[in-house]
Amino acid sequence: MNAEVPSAAGSRLAALNRWVADVAALTKPDAIHWCDGSDAENAALIAKMQADGTLLPLNPETHPNSWLHRSHPDDVARVEHLTFVCTPEREDAGPNNHWMPPAEAHAKMDALFDGCMRGRTMYVIPYCMGPIDSPLSRCGVEITDSPYVVANMRLMTRMGAPALARIEREGSFVKGLHSTGELDPERRFIVHFPEELTIKSYGSGYGGNALLGKKCHALRIASHQARKEGWLAEHMLILGIENPQGDTHYIAAAFPSACGKTNLAMLIPPEGYRRDGWKVWTVGDDICWMRPGADGRLYAINPEAGFFGVAPGTSAKSNPNALASIQSNTIFTNVGVTADNQPWWEGIDNGQVPVTDWRGEPFDPAKRPAAHPNSRFTVSAKQCPSYSPMAEDPHGVPISAIVFGGRRASLVPLVFEARDWTHGVLVGAAMGSETTAAATGAVGVMRRDPMAMKPFCGYNFADYFAHWLSFDTPGAKLPKVFHVNWFRKGDDGKFLWPGFGDNLRVLEWMIGRVEGKADAVETPIGLLPGEAGLNLEGVALSDEARDKLFGLDRAGWQAEFASIGEYLAEYGPRLPRALLDEQERIAKALG
Ligand code: OXD
Ligand code: MN
């Protein structure tokens, strides 16, 4: 174990050394381990976790080097009501965030951290979000007492020696302090100090609450950095679509958690498209950092290096690329297991049956599902067959289209295009979706989730919308903006659109629009493809499906725009006038 910081005090690592020493004085660990990210280090940590039962080995024949972790049953999802953004002024966090004054939050958190690592090892994890040599990337250091977090951060970020070298070069990093504490929901808080580039998280070992590079750094803190520095930190997948001529367009798409981002990012084209030579490349499945390049286009990187994907529903049909990615070197959290110790979840549809559920009890469907609905796999992106070589490009990829989407059983058609950037920002700001199991709370309730950033924007949404609008400058060559809804249901409650690979038909129309080749029909809510706009060859759609997927329910949209107006009014006078004007313009056009 390496207890010494690998560079002398007085170097540009002095601030890091001081912080680590201060945290150690507060948390009083038995040992300090500086993570170098090496294979040997990982092997030692895995062995330790296997010995103490934190990780259970899965079938080495079918899933080599793969592990099952069971989290505490009360610690299975992000906890938005316990997540705070602590700006000096309450207004700067906005009505979209829970807020505490910074001094009070520090005092509260430091009291929890006091002595909390006694008997434990404190791990110091230097990491880089984004390709190690990209100017768009940013570094952080997470201090944690959880070896499970270390193993996950190793898959999800560029972690260890190269990140430390970059921190030494740049002298700046985001500070994240995490302890699993006692896993007592009464003593659980995830607290952000954007001005101080600092995160403190106590009492959870799960996902975005504990892997601080992900939601806490790459979205909440990064959105604040991005606003100051003129870029965008977004809850978006990035994919590349290569057409039969060999041209690739990159698309960034925002959907709320557990709405199929990973499936869309790894889409396999329908048979006919494959035959014609279409290919889809995965750049990222969850987070996108974008910045205008010298040519006026937006260039994007995926700050993550792995996938922390929702397991249930992942199958050879829904996402063969994900399934291929997780055959080895994968950490599964809260899934069920079969008699021969293979991971299992609802919707895997592989003909096997679970014998043990995610809590380690004999599977009884009357009691609970085998896998928790928010159970996950963690795996390096490099294992994904569709992983794009461009994902490692330090310049990022140029974005041709931005897509917003949500889960809407009614009203919202399959796809529409915004008329211009300002309209596109309104489309993002007005996004609504039915809630899922990725966060605690009721599932299936419609809530507004602007740009899918409701749980993740580190500052006032009114200022965030203004920041989005500010990209529309004279030299800018901004992406076209679209809205999709894969989740429209018919009167019988069944989905009307087949989804999955067939979503490429919708993306093809978008690319046609970007290239000026595809037609569209003007309506008050935006441009619709019309029935003839999409290639629907081989897709059987009923008349009801055609009406609902491609039509406009004017009365329904009038009510929707009244509701959007009420929602925007919650942001008060800070809301950019241009957005309200746009809402009023469309409401009027709807009559
Ligand atoms: C996630 C989420 O884990 O959005 O990506 O909840
Ligand atoms: Mn997400």
Side-chain angles (χ1 to χ4, degrees):
M1 291 269 162
N2 178 7
E4 287 299 313
V5 60
S7 190
S11 78
R12 300 197 75 183
L13 290 178
L16 171 56
N17 290 340
R18 259 197 320 276
W19 176 57
V20 171
D22 289 349
V23 169
L26 176 67
T27 59
K28 305 179 183 63
D30 282 12
I32 301 177
H33 176 90
W34 286 77
C35 298
D36 60 15
S38 63
D39 291 345
E41 175 183 79
N42 188 51
L45 281 175
I46 299 265
K48 175 181 149 59
M49 286 189 278
Q50 194 181 340
D52 70 15
T54 304
L55 292 185
L56 307 169
L58 289 165
N59 186 326
E61 312 264 293
T62 59
H63 291 76
N65 195 30
S66 295
W67 311 89
L68 169 64
H69 173 72
R70 294 195 180 110
S71 74
H72 188 285
D74 288 334
D75 184 31
V76 291
R78 287 184 289 98
V79 281
E80 291 175 19
H81 63 295
L82 303 174
T83 300
F84 291 81
V85 168
C86 303
T87 44
E89 302 297 328
R90 178 182 219 129
E91 267 296 286
D92 291 335
N96 45 305
N97 280 302
H98 299 291
W99 177 83
M100 251 192 273
E104 186 187 321
H106 277 301
K108 187 183 183 84
M109 297 305 287
D110 290 354
L112 293 170
F113 279 109
D114 193 355
C116 74
M117 294 191 191
R118 268 197 200 98
R120 302 182 185 180
T121 295
M122 179 175 115
Y123 299 92
V124 183
I125 313 171
Y127 63 87
C128 180
M129 298 310 292
I132 198 83
D133 52 352
S134 171
L136 283 81
S137 301
R138 294 288 181 276
C139 288
V141 178
E142 174 166 358
I143 297 180
T144 179
D145 55 10
S146 162
Y148 166 79
V149 165
V150 179
N152 277 270
M153 286 290 283
R154 182 167 186 272
L155 294 168
M156 294 303 297
T157 72
R158 280 93 174 163
M159 179 264 250
L164 188 67
R166 180 164 171 163
I167 291 170
E168 180 159 27
R169 246 185 358 260
E170 293 182 333
S172 70
F173 62 96
V174 170
K175 296 184 187 122
L177 172 55
H178 167 254
S179 172
T180 48
E182 311 81 16
L183 295 174
D184 173 358
E186 299 295 314
R187 287 163 56 82
R188 177 175 298 157
F189 297 99
I190 296 93
V191 178
H192 306 73
F193 304 90
E195 268 83 1
E196 302 167 40
L197 303 184
T198 294
I199 305 151
K200 294 186 177 178
S201 168
Y202 188 90
S204 166
Y206 200 82
N209 303 331
L211 315 179
L212 300 187
K214 193 172 181 62
K215 305 299 186 180
C216 299
H217 176 162
L219 289 175
R220 298 193 191 97
I221 298 287
S223 60
H224 165 91
Q225 286 179 300
R227 180 182 177 213
K228 270 179 49 186
E229 299 170 7
W231 47 284
L232 288 164
E234 298 302 325
H235 190 201
M236 292 178 175
L237 65 91
I238 310 166
L239 58 76
I241 300 178
E242 187 178 325
N243 68 16
Q245 292 73 48
D247 303 322
T248 304
H249 280 282
Y250 293 92
I251 293 182
F255 296 85
S257 311
C259 283
K261 292 225 303 289
T262 306
N263 290 348
L264 184 60
M266 298 180 188
L267 179 148
I268 304 247
E271 163 98 51
Y273 281 76
R274 279 207 301 278
R275 217 180 26 241
D276 292 347
W278 290 81
K279 289 198 189 100
V280 173
W281 297 101
T282 310
V283 179
D285 79 329
D286 195 40
I287 302 181
C288 164
W289 288 356
M290 292 184 275
R291 190 157 85 181
D295 60 0
R297 299 187 70 185
L298 287 183
Y299 284 78
I301 59 164
N302 168 16
E304 300 192 284
F307 306 120
F308 182 67
V310 175
T314 307
S315 70
K317 176 170 178 283
S318 69
N319 195 337
N321 280 323
L323 215 58
S325 309
I326 58 181
Q327 289 310 301
S328 61
N329 311 313
T330 303
I331 300 174
F332 295 89
T333 302
N334 292 342
V335 299
V337 281
T338 62
D340 67 345
N341 218 16
Q342 297 192 46
W344 194 94
W345 48 83
E346 279 67 22
I348 191 170
D349 279 347
N350 60 359
Q352 299 181 16
V353 286
V355 295
T356 308
D357 72 19
W358 63 275
R359 292 177 66 156
E361 294 176 18
F363 173 56
D364 174 359
K367 221 164 158 190
R368 64 178 75 95
H372 186 277
N374 192 36
S375 56
R376 301 281 181 147
F377 51 79
T378 322
V379 69
S380 164
K382 294 207 169 107
Q383 293 198 182
C384 179
S386 58
Y387 190 49
S388 167
M390 289 296 286
E392 303 292 332
D393 191 309
H395 302 105
V397 294
I399 297 296
S400 298
I402 287 178
V403 180
F404 296 119
R407 242 174 223 277
R408 295 294 294 264
S410 59
L411 182 69
V412 182
L414 181 62
V415 57
F416 62 91
E417 176 190 329
R419 304 161 73 222
D420 56 21
W421 186 253
T422 304
H423 181 202
V425 175
L426 177 69
V427 169
M431 249 169 80
S433 192
E434 289 140 25
T435 50
T436 69
T440 54
V443 168
V445 179
M446 159 42 205
R447 76 164 179 179
R448 298 265 164 227
D449 189 351
M451 278 86 167
M453 284 288 277
K454 166 75 187 68
F456 307 122
C457 183
Y459 60 102
N460 191 322
F461 258 154
D463 300 336
Y464 171 76
F465 302 145
H467 182 52
W468 263 83
L469 291 170
S470 75
F471 285 82
D472 195 3
T473 55
K477 296 200 181 68
L478 293 168
K480 275 187 177 291
V481 179
F482 298 87
H483 188 282
V484 299
N485 178 24
W486 314 134
F487 301 96
R488 186 79 188 260
K489 288 185 176 164
D491 294 337
D492 59 0
K494 296 210 174 104
F495 291 118
L496 293 173
W497 177 247
F500 302 110
D502 286 311
N503 291 339
L504 183 58
R505 299 171 190 278
V506 177
L507 303 181
E508 182 191 13
W509 178 71
M510 292 177 190
I511 291 172
R513 295 293 301 156
V514 168
E515 292 181 337
K517 292 180 187 156
D519 291 336
V521 181
E522 290 246 17
T523 78
I525 67 159
L527 298 126
L528 272 75
E531 270 197 44
L534 293 198
N535 172 7
L536 292 176
E537 209 183 300
V539 187
L541 293 178
S542 64
D543 289 346
E544 183 202 8
R546 282 173 191 270
D547 271 5
K548 289 188 166 146
L549 293 171
F550 302 110
L552 182 77
D553 165 3
R554 199 171 265 266
W557 276 102
Q558 284 166 354
E560 176 78 357
F561 264 79
S563 143
I564 293 169
E566 281 164 26
Y567 174 69
L568 294 179
E570 288 172 24
Y571 294 92
R574 241 167 133 128
L575 195 79
R577 185 67 239 171
L579 215 55
L580 280 178
D581 288 347
E582 191 66 10
Q583 185 271 339
E584 284 163 15
R585 181 186 69 73
I586 297 172
K588 213 153 126 208
L590 283 162

